[in-house]
Amino acid sequence: MDQSEPNAGPPKGTPTIKSVETSHEVIAAMEDLGLASVTEIAAHAGLSKGGAYKHLKTLQQSGFVVREDGQYRLGLRFLDIGGRIRYDHPGSRIIKQKMRELALETNETSIYTVLENDRTITLFREAGSRGVPTRTRVGKRLYPHETAAGKCLLSRHSREEVERLFDGGPLPSVTDNTITDVGDLLDELATVRERGYAYNIGESVEGLVAIAAPLVPDDEVIGACSVTGPYHRMKGDPLDEEVRATLLSFVNELELNIAHADTS
């Protein structure tokens, strides 16, 4: 697993179930390895071969693991569960459609993100005609301080909540541009809160810029919408102004559509 997707475990001292922890280690190993043998999975997870095998068989019986030609991979049962969770997100069908429209309008990549515990998660991603590859995919977990959407969502939290979330720092560095000081992050979040949108300038991927705005239907923040593209197209007047104006217009329309759908 890369440095942007660490295991966000429970607070220190919290009682846990060892067997569940071991199953998680097996799943994490398979996420890294793809199709792999019991021996490979056990070595990657730091388990005995026998211990790994028992967990693999249990996960296989539940449909979370599939055995192919003597090797194992993660099963699509995870997709079924994740798809249902995404479907249940407020306004999911409307958001998906508007993200597609936003990508077509800007010709860049549009992303819809939510904050869960201490990570942002991509729920929807659409690429326009000039959309470039990013680190995000549906379900991708990232540090909130490295993305424009994450900053938008953090800006809706109090100073105390943000400090508690990062436990005083320092913040993990993803690129040379990533904010690593909690005080600096709090200053930027204050700016984001005041102006209503956030930037990410090479803080998650070198050379990529993102603009994001929170989605707040009925005065409740449920996620953030962003547009991402290469530095030479996204940064600098008047282009960033055009993209920002388009993004804010789409977010405003989306908030109205979701609020109207709820009342209907």
Side-chain angles (χ1 to χ4, degrees):
M1 302 174 75
D2 66 37
Q3 65 174 336
S4 66
E5 288 191 284
N7 300 328
K12 294 180 179 179
T14 302
T16 59
I17 300 174
K18 181 60 178 178
S19 61
V20 176
E21 289 183 357
T22 303
S23 288
H24 178 261
E25 291 167 358
V26 169
I27 292 169
M30 297 176 73
E31 185 180 6
D32 287 343
L33 297 171
L35 188 65
S37 67
V38 177
T39 301
E40 292 170 327
I41 294 168
H44 197 83
L47 303 170
S48 68
K49 183 177 177 180
Y53 179 76
K54 290 179 181 178
H55 284 269
L56 285 169
K57 295 303 291 184
T58 302
L59 291 166
Q60 183 183 355
Q61 290 175 4
S62 303
F64 290 105
V65 164
V66 175
R67 188 173 186 269
E68 294 179 347
D69 299 325
Q71 295 184 305
Y72 296 85
R73 64 168 174 83
L74 295 178
L76 294 176
R77 178 79 185 274
F78 288 101
L79 180 62
D80 179 32
I81 295 173
R84 177 54 189 266
I85 294 171
R86 187 173 73 157
Y87 181 83
D88 288 341
H89 183 74
S92 61
R93 284 167 289 181
I94 302 173
I95 293 169
K96 180 177 176 61
Q97 177 61 35
K98 295 303 290 184
M99 288 297 98
R100 184 178 297 116
E101 294 175 10
L102 180 59
L104 292 174
E105 179 73 19
T106 61
N107 294 318
E108 304 291 356
T109 299
S110 66
I111 300 171
Y112 178 73
T113 302
V114 298
L115 181 66
E116 186 174 80
N117 297 324
D118 58 352
R119 299 290 184 271
T120 60
I121 300 174
T122 299
L123 286 195
F124 297 101
R125 182 187 186 280
E126 300 287 342
S129 60
R130 297 186 301 180
V132 297
T134 66
R135 292 171 57 229
T136 56
R137 64 177 184 275
V138 172
K140 182 73 172 180
R141 301 170 68 243
L142 297 171
Y143 294 120
H145 68 282
E146 68 174 281
T147 69
K151 292 176 190 176
C152 284
L153 297 170
L154 287 176
S155 73
R156 313 295 293 196
H157 290 66
S158 69
R159 182 184 187 93
E160 292 73 25
E161 288 173 327
V162 173
E163 290 177 335
R164 185 163 55 250
L165 187 67
F166 293 107
D167 196 26
L171 308 177
S173 177
V174 182
T175 73
D176 290 340
N177 298 316
T178 309
I179 297 174
T180 58
D181 181 78
V182 175
D184 292 341
L185 176 64
L186 289 169
D187 290 342
E188 180 153 348
L189 294 181
T191 301
V192 172
R193 193 178 302 113
E194 181 178 350
R195 69 187 178 193
Y197 56 88
Y199 282 111
N200 158 19
I201 304 176
E203 297 162 61
S204 184
V205 177
E206 295 282 359
L208 288 186
V209 173
I211 305 173
L215 184 62
V216 196
D218 295 324
D219 297 322
E220 179 182 359
V221 60
I222 61 173
C225 304
S226 62
V227 176
T228 301
Y231 187 91
H232 68 276
R233 288 205 301 262
M234 290 284 292
K235 191 70 181 77
D237 292 329
L239 190 55
D240 63 338
E241 174 61 32
E242 294 173 2
V243 174
R244 183 169 64 248
T246 300
L247 171 66
L248 295 177
S249 175
F250 266 77
V251 168
N252 181 59
E253 183 178 348
L254 187 50
E255 289 173 342
L256 293 174
N257 287 345
I258 293 175
H260 176 72
D262 287 344
T263 57
S264 298

